[in-house]
Amino acid sequence: MTDLLESPTHALLAADPDWWRQAAVYQIYPRSFADSDGDGIGDLRGITEKVPYLSSLGIDAVWLSPFYPSALADGGYDVDDYRDVDPKLGTLADFDEMVEALHGAGIRLIVDIVPNHTSDRHEWFREALASPKGSPARARYIFRDGKGENGELPPSDWVSTFGGPAWEPVGDGQWYMHYFAKEQPDLDWTNQEVRDDFLKTLRFWSDRGADGFRVDVAHGCAKDLPEELPSQAELDALERTSGTHPLWDRDEVHEIYAEWRNVFNEYDPPRVGVAEAWVDPERRSRYASAEGLGQAFNFDLLEADFEPQQFREIIAFNLAEAAGAGSSTTWVFSNHDVVRHATRYALPPRGEDTKKAGNAWLLSGGTDPVADVEGGLRRARAATLVMLALPGSAYVYQGEELGLPEVADIPDEARQDPTFFRSPGVDKGRDGCRVPMPWTTSGDSYGFGPAGAHLPQPAVYGELSVEAQEGVAGSTLEFYRTALRLRHELQTDETLDWIESDPHVLHFRRPGGWHVVTNFGTEPVALPAGELLHSSGPVEGGALPGETTVWLRSAE
Ligand code: BGC
């Protein structure tokens, strides 16, 4: 087992078991971050080369989306081998070097783990296909006999999360289940071999220096499929809040994470998990308990409108929930699955089904309704300055520190996301937030790599590049850097007090006289007294302009 403290380069990383509670975590989607070897795909060496940049941001940790061998049918969330590096992205030695560089810069590493499904190229799945019905190899997955005389019909009419059927035939009357793309067969987590193998994987990466794990679809692993399967309509009618839904958020899923916790606790400091669990907010804390993964994503602000009452309720609720679970909450506005928040806030409020509506807007390429690009970025910066002042950990997705917009007009033939192909074409998919990072103002791929970018970058990427913003006062990059640096200095305990204010204004105080004030309205309001530490936009003459957040220090 690797002890980080044994290595002098890791001296910056104290063995603090609570490092994650208030961490600012930067998500890297490796294929789209930096390409060091010129194959058009970002890689681990690219990340290592950018460690000085990461360090200059003032983040505490990196969350690395999957970098395992994969056909990239779902951007790497289709894993062929959980204990290796995709040759397109590098080698295990490159991984070790990257960890060394990150740790040397005082940055921890959270790796993504994908337990709900393997890829269809995983050796277990190949073995399952080559083995007969009822064999131990098939028992690692969810195989069922098809209906009809020769099993030619699917076992049920279930629809996969990415669209299209959730069952795929294998040619002998049996079908396998997949929540996501057909290249992502679901594992059967009642199978002991499956359970044991993941414990091995957790130790494998922990031994190599991973400090934590982001757990993909954490609420989906436990399933209980009756002999007679319900229809999709019957499934849809079932409530998901009792822990007894056959597919989602079942109570026994926590038995899996209790085993994982035992592995996490073999390390010093203990490894940490953060669950991606799209569950009822009241049930989220189970994933975040100290006997489980430790932390869970809360996507509530991401789904909210730019509106003070929604923000306040969400913040208050999640702080209370996390405290009840002995955890700290997580905040996030953008990631590799959703429309970037600079663009979400450039569009009219979304109503109920935020995520889908966000994508639907992009069907028009942002022309109907017309995206208010300037206003979107202004609101995104104001919201970000709220997030970075909240107790708990804050997740920043690569490129948001540049104010990158969602790329809405990717030609169909260049699209990669399975949601686009399986919908088919109705959902534009998630490629628009996965376009390779612009590092320089010009050049084929704006400095992403010598062989161009694997998704087309719009012209605006040059003026939004790191090079264009570096050292420029008021740029979004420098705005993030200042906020992250100040957050380090100001963030002490996990308390927050509300201060009653104008109905358009959200105002809270953190310890040390740190005041956070956002004017969600469009008209200026009086700026509260105090030393101006930071602001999301220009502030002059004692007024707080509309759609602007300030950080103030005041004795009260
Ligand atoms: C990941 C997605 C992925 C899906 C299936 C998610 O929640 O964040 O990117 O497509 O899991 O693995």
Side-chain angles (χ1 to χ4, degrees):
M1 186 185 314
T2 309
D3 182 348
L4 291 182
L5 295 175
E6 275 169 19
S7 159
T9 60
H10 299 146
L12 278 167
L13 295 178
D16 174 8
D18 289 332
W19 67 266
W20 49 276
R21 293 188 72 92
Q22 310 255 38
V25 185
Y26 184 85
Q27 182 192 354
I28 293 183
Y29 190 70
R31 285 186 309 141
S32 302
F33 189 64
D35 173 20
S36 73
D37 62 4
D39 64 355
I41 296 189
D43 45 47
L44 299 188
R45 282 188 168 200
I47 297 171
T48 306
E49 285 168 9
K50 298 294 183 194
V51 167
Y53 173 76
L54 297 170
S55 182
S56 79
L57 289 176
I59 50 155
D60 303 296
V62 158
W63 151 29
L64 190 58
S65 282
F67 51 88
Y68 315 110
S70 168
L72 302 179
D74 180 22
Y77 285 89
D78 45 321
V79 179
D80 298 350
D81 179 351
Y82 290 87
R83 297 189 284 274
D84 204 350
V85 171
D86 191 325
K88 296 186 281 302
L89 270 61
T91 61
L92 279 169
D94 293 336
F95 178 88
D96 294 342
E97 222 176 281
M98 179 191 70
V99 173
E100 182 78 14
L102 287 169
H103 283 169
I107 299 171
R108 315 234 180 207
L109 177 65
I110 296 173
V111 297
D112 217 310
I113 195 98
V114 188
N116 179 69
H117 43 266
T118 68
S119 83
D120 60 351
R121 308 194 317 171
H122 190 284
E123 63 169 355
W124 278 355
F125 194 69
R126 292 173 196 251
E127 198 188 330
L129 291 187
S131 306
K133 175 181 163 177
S135 59
R138 289 209 176 173
R140 299 184 188 115
Y141 292 91
I142 302 178
F143 277 87
R144 279 296 172 96
D145 290 336
K147 291 193 166 161
E149 216 168 305
N150 301 306
E152 69 279 10
L153 298 173
S156 72
D157 64 346
W158 295 352
V159 177
S160 89
T161 310
F162 288 164
W167 295 97
E168 190 66 17
V170 297
D172 60 4
Q174 284 221 304
W175 298 60
Y176 67 88
M177 194 202 138
H178 56 92
Y179 272 155
F180 298 95
K182 69 174 170 40
E183 294 84 358
Q184 294 167 295
D186 281 37
L187 286 164
D188 183 340
W189 272 87
T190 61
N191 186 295
Q192 193 58 42
E193 216 186 328
V194 169
R195 289 187 178 232
D196 292 346
D197 197 70
F198 271 85
L199 301 183
K200 200 167 158 189
T201 295
L202 295 175
R203 290 194 181 97
F204 181 86
W205 295 110
S206 297
D207 289 346
R208 293 194 103 94
D211 302 283
F213 298 88
R214 177 264 189 190
V215 183
D216 191 62
V217 199
H219 56 311
C221 294
K223 300 178 182 75
D224 184 23
L225 303 189
E227 203 46 48
E228 190 52 41
L229 299 176
S231 68
Q232 183 66 51
E234 284 165 335
L235 270 187
D236 291 345
L238 292 174
E239 54 135 64
R240 290 197 185 187
T241 51
S242 64
T244 57
H245 188 283
L247 299 179
W248 297 108
D249 191 23
R250 293 187 61 77
D251 283 343
E252 66 264 27
V253 80
H254 300 292
E255 292 163 19
I256 299 171
Y257 304 131
E259 282 181 11
W260 288 25
R261 170 53 55 186
N262 291 335
V263 173
F264 293 169
N265 288 348
E266 290 168 7
Y267 293 84
D268 179 23
R271 298 319 187 225
V272 62
V274 52
E276 186 218 18
W278 294 86
V279 296
D280 185 278
E282 314 276 346
R283 291 182 56 84
R284 196 181 289 138
S285 56
R286 294 163 171 247
Y287 294 83
S289 81
E291 295 75 44
L293 293 173
Q295 216 179 20
F297 274 109
N298 128 41
F299 298 109
D300 300 351
L301 276 188
L302 182 157
E303 295 190 301
D305 294 318
F306 186 75
E307 203 273 314
Q309 201 49 40
Q310 289 184 39
F311 268 55
R312 178 164 172 166
E313 278 168 19
I314 287 169
I315 293 166
F317 173 82
N318 282 291
L319 292 182
E321 281 288 301
S327 182
S328 71
T329 193
T330 59
W331 304 106
V332 55
F333 281 115
S334 284
N335 64 30
H336 66 296
D337 286 333
V338 299
V339 173
R340 284 184 177 276
H341 67 295
T343 296
R344 288 203 314 272
Y345 287 139
L347 299 166
R350 296 166 296 280
E352 280 302 287
D353 191 357
T354 326
K355 203 176 145 201
K356 283 279 173 259
N359 277 329
W361 261 303
L362 294 169
L363 287 175
S364 70
T367 53
D368 178 23
V370 177
D372 167 14
V373 175
E374 212 177 295
L377 184 55
R378 183 170 60 246
R379 291 183 277 276
R381 286 171 53 143
T384 298
L385 209 52
V386 174
M387 168 175 95
L388 292 177
L390 291 173
S393 48
Y395 278 74
V396 172
Y397 175 50
Q398 72 183 37
E400 73 170 76
E401 78 279 19
L402 305 176
L404 293 188
E406 184 83 3
V407 182
D409 56 358
I410 297 175
D412 288 356
E413 57 281 9
R415 292 208 171 263
Q416 301 174 8
D417 186 2
T419 58
F420 174 73
F421 300 105
R422 292 183 64 87
S423 51
V426 176
D427 192 332
K428 282 286 173 199
R430 302 161 294 179
D431 294 316
C433 63
R434 300 174 175 183
V435 173
M437 277 278 283
W439 296 94
T440 54
T441 51
S442 56
D444 262 2
S445 60
Y446 301 106
F448 167 68
H454 61 87
L455 280 167
Q457 299 158 303
V460 72
Y461 265 36
E463 56 201 74
L464 292 174
S465 65
V466 173
E467 186 184 26
Q469 298 195 42
E470 190 113 61
V472 176
S475 70
T476 303
L477 175 58
E478 295 305 335
F479 158 74
Y480 266 80
R481 281 182 171 152
T482 304
L484 287 160
R485 178 177 55 75
L486 282 170
R487 173 186 160 91
H488 263 286
E489 290 167 21
L490 296 167
Q491 184 95 280
T492 49
D493 70 13
E494 298 181 28
T495 59
L496 174 154
D497 297 314
W498 295 105
I499 300 197
E500 295 312 325
S501 198
D502 179 294
H504 296 298
V505 171
L506 188 77
H507 185 168
F508 56 86
R509 180 180 47 212
R510 301 292 313 278
W514 177 16
H515 285 253
V516 180
V517 192
T518 307
N519 178 2
F520 282 81
T522 47
E523 295 305 314
V525 296
L527 185 67
E531 174 200 354
L532 182 63
L533 299 174
H534 198 23
S535 67
S536 64
V539 174
E540 284 158 7
L544 174 57
E547 305 185 329
T548 303
T549 299
V550 287
W551 289 0
L552 303 167
R553 185 157 30 205
S554 123
E556 294 158 35

